Amino acid sequence: MTALSTVSAGIKPPTSIPQDTTWFHGRNPDSVGPRTGAESLLCTGGGVAVEELNVTGSGYLQLLCAGNDASQTNSINLTLTLDGVELYNYTHPDGELDGPIAAGMVQLSGQLINGVTLDAYRFEQGFTVDITTSATACYLIYKYYLDS
């Protein structure tokens, strides 16, 4: 088996990614983490930008999205800065049923996940994720791994 560093030697960190991308979570964003091997982090920013993740090192970002819990219609801004470059900065106006997604793709139908696609955004130095929302229950769902 070849070491990851050898296999990934030609993959470079992205310098831009699509903006204004959303995903449908149907008021259940926190159900995504356990079903995809991702982490779910409860965010309660009070309407100001809060750095929710600060990862240092090199590796791959596979999934990054946010959504509000049931019946919370507050807007959500998700900002991803990877290797010092702001790659994604999108404010979704109403995070009750769907929300911003910067990496990967998740398709939900009620409590069931119909499909998951994981990206492989390479990072060499690390990445940060900021969330701005006034929702009392906004979930940040993320999956990444570091090189060994």
Side-chain angles (χ1 to χ4, degrees):
M1 180 173 227
T2 307
L4 178 61
S5 60
T6 303
V7 172
S8 64
I11 299 175
K12 304 282 188 218
T15 56
S16 67
I17 60 175
Q19 302 292 304
D20 304 346
T21 49
T22 62
W23 68 295
F24 177 78
H25 59 73
R27 298 185 179 124
N28 297 299
D30 57 327
S31 68
V32 173
R35 294 184 172 110
T36 61
E39 299 292 327
S40 294
L41 177 66
L42 178 62
C43 307
T44 55
V48 296
V50 175
E51 185 178 86
E52 299 290 353
L53 284 179
N54 186 335
V55 176
T56 58
S58 61
Y60 291 91
L61 175 62
Q62 295 187 303
L63 181 63
L64 182 65
C65 53
N68 292 339
D69 207 358
S71 302
Q72 297 195 38
T73 59
N74 311 71
S75 66
I76 306 168
N77 174 272
L78 174 63
T79 303
L80 167 64
T81 303
L82 190 134
D83 287 347
V85 176
E86 185 177 283
L87 286 182
Y88 186 87
N89 186 340
Y90 174 62
T91 300
H92 190 279
D94 178 356
E96 179 184 12
L97 295 174
D98 48 6
I101 185 165
M105 188 284 295
V106 178
Q107 181 182 357
L108 289 178
S109 176
Q111 292 283 340
L112 303 175
I113 293 181
N114 292 336
V116 175
T117 302
L118 300 176
D119 281 322
Y121 292 159
R122 178 79 183 152
F123 56 92
E124 297 294 337
Q125 301 160 359
F127 66 93
T128 60
V129 177
D130 294 349
I131 293 285
T132 307
T133 186
S134 55
T136 57
C138 173
Y139 288 91
L140 176 65
I141 295 94
Y142 60 94
K143 184 173 186 174
Y144 69 90
Y145 61 90
L146 297 172
D147 295 335
S148 52

